[in-house]
Amino acid sequence: MPAEFFEPLNNKGTPPVYRYFNGSQWVESKSGKRTQVFSPIDNAVVGELQVVTQEEIDAVITKSVEAQRKWEATPLYERVKIVHLAADWVMHFEQYLSELLAREIGKTISEAKSEIKRTAELTDYFADEVQSIRGETLDSDNFPGYDKGRVAVIGRAAHGVVLAIAPFNYPVNLAGSKIAPALLMGNTVVFKPPTQGGISGLHLARIFEKAGVPEGVITCLTGGGSEIGDYLVSHPKVNMIAFTGSSDTGMNIAAKAPMKQLLFECGGNNATIVFPDADMSLTAKEIIKGGFSYAGQRCTAIKYVMAPQGVLDTLLPVVLEQMKELVHMGDPREATTKLVGPVVTLKVAESIEKVINEAIAEGAKVAVGGHRKEAYIEPTILTNVKPTMKIVSTEVFGPVISFIAINDMNEAAEIVNGQRFGLQACVFTKDEGTGLKYSELLNVGTVQINGSPQRGPDHFPFLGVKQSGVGVQGVRYSLLAMSRLKPVVINKPA
């Protein structure tokens, strides 16, 4: 069944050459250029992606513009039915997509299955929630100086063409979280998957096509950011950009997309702050899960832990002991591997190794890990880390956690607030009142009390401040973001 369903995507070669979707057909680019996708597990070629031309981009976006008005005019119940069917197809191919995801980006098979299942559930939830969105009316005489002569009928309208850019670490889920709400609110979608993760992204585009999305309503263009990214984000016919990726890339996109609607989720570099009364066993478990899931390659990963030195001395042995049970590095396709497989490429692994070694040279101590073998970075905990070190001031996208001793809790808040990132932070204390009060000091999008940072549950608001993002996501919030208010004012005759 998967071979038949996904048959148009590639040429059946070894390695397979994948096509892009122009809105009606799966075709190869006239550029003749391709990008190889290597598995981080063994560096084998998973497949090759097209690098589309600017002319092909223009043709696709023109088709998207032409399809948008008719799609927005399609009754909502029909759009809902299509998106529900897409969710069903995602779940139907759970095993197939999970195995592909594990091979392509090195996610453990359990984490890959979780991503696929979550994508199906999220897509369904979007389709249910959109039916509860309502407009409103306002009377003019609510404001001083006006009589009852006017009524504003306030509905919601689609933005138009939405460019959806997904990251390598969740190429299916964070594509679906953009595509589904954009379609439901009447937009057409130009989907640019990441290079690493692009093959999985193409499969998701095929699922929406097979679910019944009309011609031109969804398209899927492949090529690296340096090859097609700048042209796409600056295209005059793109009305909105929904992006997940690094803060540096996000700022670069924003500079090239003036006056476009933006919905960005960028870097995290999240802190954990541990009060002396915290449950050390719970804290250790959440630090391990938060820091090492998918080898630390998540914007919501824990990157550094702060507490007075005495608290760190108590906490560290508990963390190290629990790691023996909760963490096992290995081939992500093996059931025995827990949390930590390879990072996404050998080049990334080498850059992480370099930052670890720089921290050690500046006085950091290795409590566990610290070594690299090919694209695998050992789950690493560093102590004696200073907040000025690069390993803290930059977002290290790997399985590395830094322990920082502080003099008092106000110092921890100052360190968090001094970062250019502001996605999430977590606070561990048995006194929830203390946690609530302390959270007021932290300039981040979300504070987690007695839990690790995470995106979810998916109907909760998810946002970043400073250089961690623009706009608010989460099921209802994403649907609202994918549309705009459109007041129509009825002026009654005198």
Side-chain angles (χ1 to χ4, degrees):
M1 178 66 174
E4 297 173 3
F5 191 95
F6 297 112
E7 187 272 336
L9 267 64
N10 67 65
N11 68 351
K12 312 298 184 296
T14 305
V17 174
Y18 285 85
R19 305 177 175 113
Y20 79 93
F21 186 53
N22 67 9
S24 57
Q25 295 178 304
W26 292 88
V27 293
E28 295 191 14
S29 173
K30 294 179 180 178
S31 72
K33 296 180 181 179
R34 299 169 186 163
T35 301
Q36 290 185 317
V37 178
F38 296 91
S39 172
I41 298 171
D42 54 12
N43 210 39
V45 178
V46 183
E48 298 181 5
L49 298 175
Q50 305 295 317
V51 179
V52 300
T53 67
Q54 291 186 358
E55 291 75 17
E56 288 164 337
I57 291 172
D58 288 341
V60 159
I61 294 179
T62 296
K63 186 177 291 186
S64 295
V65 172
E66 292 170 350
Q68 192 272 320
R69 282 191 175 275
K70 186 176 180 181
W71 175 244
E72 188 174 7
T74 300
L76 179 60
Y77 79 88
E78 292 187 16
R79 284 181 264 150
V80 166
K81 183 168 63 174
I82 288 170
V83 173
H84 272 313
L85 182 55
D88 291 344
W89 281 123
V90 171
M91 203 64 233
H92 179 77
F93 292 113
E94 176 191 13
Q95 185 66 31
Y96 176 82
L97 294 173
S98 298
E99 291 174 358
L100 172 63
L101 199 58
R103 177 153 182 73
E104 187 179 12
I105 66 170
K107 187 167 283 192
T108 67
I109 193 67
S110 62
E111 289 172 325
K113 285 184 176 181
S114 176
E115 175 172 350
I116 299 306
K117 182 180 179 183
R118 182 181 180 187
T119 303
E121 292 171 343
L122 177 60
T123 303
D124 263 334
Y125 204 117
F126 273 124
D128 289 335
E129 181 67 23
V130 71
Q131 298 172 81
S132 71
I133 292 179
R134 304 280 186 269
E136 63 176 342
T137 61
L138 290 176
D139 293 314
S140 56
D141 65 328
N142 290 10
F143 195 85
Y146 288 84
D147 57 20
K148 289 183 176 292
R150 303 178 186 183
V151 175
V153 180
I154 305 168
R156 301 201 73 87
H159 291 301
V161 176
V162 173
L163 172 61
I165 305 175
F168 80 84
N169 55 348
Y170 289 89
V172 177
N173 181 257
L174 292 182
S177 70
K178 298 169 177 55
I179 294 170
L183 293 178
L184 287 165
M185 297 307 291
N187 304 279
T188 51
V189 175
V190 177
F191 172 37
K192 185 205 170 300
T195 298
Q196 200 83 26
I199 296 172
S200 298
L202 288 169
H203 282 71
L204 182 65
R206 172 64 171 170
I207 283 173
F208 275 98
E209 177 204 4
K210 288 288 285 181
V213 173
E215 181 175 337
V217 172
I218 186 169
T219 54
C220 188
L221 298 173
T222 54
S226 61
E227 296 162 318
I228 70 170
D230 287 351
Y231 190 73
L232 274 170
V233 301
S234 61
H235 201 286
K237 293 182 180 179
V238 168
N239 305 106
M240 179 183 181
I241 302 171
F243 164 79
T244 302
S246 74
S247 295
D248 290 342
T249 302
M251 289 189 292
N252 183 57
I253 292 173
K256 291 180 169 61
M259 305 303 287
K260 296 184 189 295
Q261 296 292 318
L262 304 177
L263 185 61
F264 283 9
E265 173 197 342
C266 299
N269 216 38
N270 311 289
T272 293
I273 301 159
V274 185
F275 279 73
D277 70 337
D279 180 329
M280 295 300 162
S281 179
L282 170 67
T283 304
K285 180 181 177 181
E286 292 297 314
I287 288 172
I288 292 166
K289 181 179 71 175
F292 296 140
S293 294
Y294 187 40
Q297 296 175 109
R298 299 173 297 110
C299 65
T300 52
I302 290 173
K303 294 303 175 186
Y304 59 106
V305 177
M306 295 185 290
Q309 186 64 61
V311 176
L312 293 182
D313 291 342
T314 302
L315 174 63
L316 181 59
V318 183
V319 173
L320 297 178
E321 185 61 30
Q322 288 197 18
M323 282 180 65
K324 295 175 184 178
E325 178 185 353
L326 299 176
V327 180
H328 184 270
M329 185 175 71
D331 187 323
R333 296 167 296 186
E334 300 293 334
T336 54
T337 299
K338 300 177 183 178
L339 300 183
V340 182
V343 295
V344 68
T345 66
L346 176 61
K347 184 177 180 181
V348 169
E350 290 171 343
S351 69
I352 295 170
E353 180 185 38
K354 181 180 179 182
V355 177
I356 291 172
N357 289 335
E358 287 176 1
I360 294 169
E362 293 175 3
K365 306 296 182 184
V366 179
V368 66
H371 300 102
R372 176 186 68 83
K373 183 177 181 181
E374 297 175 336
Y376 291 78
I377 297 286
E378 289 180 340
T380 300
I381 293 179
L382 300 177
T383 62
N384 201 40
V385 175
K386 306 302 179 188
T388 53
M389 291 180 180
K390 184 178 180 180
I391 205 158
V392 178
S393 62
T394 60
E395 184 184 22
V396 179
F397 229 51
V400 184
I401 302 173
S402 298
F403 275 43
I404 302 172
I406 54 172
N407 294 315
D408 56 52
M409 310 317 284
N410 286 335
E411 181 185 0
E414 290 171 1
I415 291 170
V416 170
N417 295 342
Q419 292 264 351
R420 69 183 180 117
F421 304 101
L423 190 61
Q424 295 199 3
C426 45
V427 177
F428 287 87
T429 172
K430 290 179 181 176
D431 186 341
E432 292 179 355
T434 295
L436 288 168
K437 186 173 180 61
Y438 188 78
S439 68
E440 297 175 2
L441 302 178
L442 302 175
N443 185 23
V444 296
T446 301
V447 178
Q448 302 276 351
I449 298 176
N450 295 325
S452 56
Q454 59 181 295
R455 179 190 176 117
D458 283 302
H459 64 298
F460 283 16
F462 182 72
L463 67 154
V465 298
K466 295 181 283 189
Q467 293 180 18
S468 285
V470 177
V472 183
Q473 299 177 68
V475 176
R476 186 174 185 84
Y477 308 98
S478 293
L479 289 164
L480 295 175
M482 292 292 182
S483 61
R484 64 178 177 86
L485 292 174
K486 186 174 182 179
V488 175
V489 179
I490 301 171
N491 293 274
K492 297 179 181 178

